[in-house]
Amino acid sequence: MTYDFHGSWDSITGENSPLYKDLNSNAFLKDFAMNYWKSNGAPAEKLVVGFPTYGNTFTLQNPSEHGLGAPASGPGSAGPYTQEAGELAYFEICTLLNSGATQVWDAPQDVPYAYKGNEWVGYDNIKSFNIKVCWGVWLC
């Protein structure tokens, strides 16, 4: 499983499915996990990189602190369709983005996140999926 690296169980915001680790984290991430298995003898053709089509959400303690590692007070609000606090389906994230949420590209981890008010979500989009596909199969 190469997602759910961060979620509402954390006390600070973090990306759901980062490709690389950020400078403030020692978390095991896609790049580390896949290389770990390969270096310990797992055949590369049997390894599969997971691609989540949902995002993990947080409620920010202070809306003016909205970056990675911002203090969180728990899961974000449940979406109208998934009805699960702490998670939004990609189409629910699109609704949030279309409602004026600020989108941020997290260059060190090659994934986006977005925030609006005290809501924060780490997710994948077309750009991050393309980067992960190219990373995984070395085609691009």
Side-chain angles (χ1 to χ4, degrees):
M1 192 165 96
T2 55
Y3 46 88
D4 281 344
F5 286 106
H6 294 283
S8 61
W9 53 87
D10 294 322
S11 61
I12 59 172
T13 60
E15 299 285 9
N16 177 26
S17 183
L19 183 55
Y20 302 107
K21 79 177 194 167
D22 69 86
L23 300 176
N24 301 317
S25 172
N26 290 319
F28 299 120
L29 307 172
K30 281 186 192 306
D31 180 66
F32 175 87
M34 298 303 281
N35 285 312
Y36 173 84
W37 283 105
K38 286 187 340 189
S39 67
N40 282 285
E45 66 274 8
K46 292 187 178 186
L47 296 174
V48 177
V49 174
F51 287 74
T53 56
Y54 62 92
N56 287 337
T57 67
F58 301 84
T59 297
L60 296 168
Q61 285 184 14
N62 179 351
S64 66
E65 292 183 57
H66 44 70
L68 283 169
S73 60
S77 301
Y81 299 100
T82 54
Q83 299 181 3
E84 181 73 33
E87 289 187 5
L88 291 176
Y90 184 70
F91 62 88
E92 292 172 316
I93 295 167
C94 291
T95 300
L96 176 69
L97 298 176
N98 290 332
S99 74
T102 300
Q103 300 176 61
V104 179
W105 181 255
D106 176 5
Q109 297 186 73
D110 278 335
V111 286
Y113 67 87
Y115 61 91
K116 182 178 180 185
N118 68 347
E119 295 287 322
W120 193 101
V121 60
Y123 61 100
D124 275 287
N125 62 11
I126 293 170
K127 180 179 178 180
S128 64
F129 276 174
N130 283 332
I131 290 169
K132 290 172 184 175
V133 167
C134 291
W135 171 87
V137 293
W138 315 106
L139 291 177
C140 306

